[in-house]
Amino acid sequence: MTTTEWITDIALVLVVFRQLREGRLDLKSFLIPLGIVAFVAHQYLDSIPTAGNDLVLVGVLMGVGAALGVAGGVYTRLRIVGEHVLIKAGAVSAILWVLGMGARMGFQLWTEQGGGADDVARFSAAHQITSEQAWVAAFVLMALTEVVTRLATIFIRGRLTRAAADPVPVLDGAV
């Protein structure tokens, strides 16, 4: 793994640790993780192979990313204090985030330095996965999907939390 890959992977893992302390849900809460995954996608997502079962691999890992992202968003605590929505990642949310991001990093280490390249090559041949780029695309899109679905879940929950806290206006003459 290159220095850039290490820094990027660690930055993605640290994003959730930043939220272990309660803080305001604001634009930064969304832009920092989106910026990191946009950088990763720009660096590593040259193409999405479509031959053989490449799209199946991509779809399965994106599904895993979506499940982890939604669950992470659900297990993030949101509450209203004054005029602000506060956010705090819980233990389950942090574990899911590290699991998703760590799985990608672990897979990369295993294939590059842990002797897993031959196992992946055999698996790929047996399941008609046509290239290394299919694995790269699948894991990058898994991370992107996890981030986007987690943030979307938090955004929706934040809006619902704010709406529930706002008093309902009473109309004159209403029965």
Side-chain angles (χ1 to χ4, degrees):
M1 288 178 59
T2 67
T3 303
T4 302
E5 290 169 333
W6 275 106
I7 291 169
T8 304
D9 288 341
I10 290 168
L12 281 169
V13 170
L14 291 177
V15 164
V16 81
F17 288 115
R18 181 177 159 262
Q19 292 178 353
L20 288 174
R21 287 188 336 200
E22 190 172 55
R24 283 179 45 189
L25 181 62
D26 56 15
L27 195 55
K28 259 191 330 191
S29 305
F30 297 98
L31 291 182
I32 291 171
L34 286 174
I36 294 169
V37 293
F39 171 78
V40 169
H42 176 72
Q43 289 290 112
Y44 300 105
L45 197 58
D46 299 326
S47 65
I48 301 173
T50 59
N53 285 325
D54 294 351
L55 287 178
V56 173
L57 175 66
V58 168
V60 166
L61 288 184
M62 284 180 72
V64 170
L68 289 169
V70 169
V74 166
Y75 285 101
T76 298
R77 188 178 85 183
L78 299 174
R79 67 186 183 104
I80 298 283
V81 173
E83 294 189 15
H84 303 289
V85 177
L86 300 182
I87 182 173
K88 182 177 186 207
V92 173
S93 180
I95 289 167
L96 292 171
W97 184 262
V98 171
L99 179 68
M101 296 302 153
R104 190 185 79 72
M105 190 166 85
F107 182 83
Q108 187 173 4
L109 284 171
W110 176 62
T111 57
E112 289 179 1
Q113 299 169 2
D118 291 339
D119 293 330
V120 173
R122 280 191 294 278
F123 179 90
S124 295
H127 295 90
Q128 298 176 350
I129 298 167
T130 63
S131 68
E132 183 180 326
Q133 182 58 31
W135 287 97
V136 171
F139 276 107
V140 168
L141 290 170
M142 175 188 165
L144 180 67
T145 304
E146 182 176 357
V147 169
V148 170
T149 56
R150 181 176 184 273
L151 293 175
T153 302
I154 290 169
F155 177 80
I156 292 166
R157 289 187 60 227
R159 298 290 281 219
L160 293 172
T161 300
R162 178 161 304 286
D166 288 341
V168 178
V170 178
L171 301 175
D172 287 337
V175 178

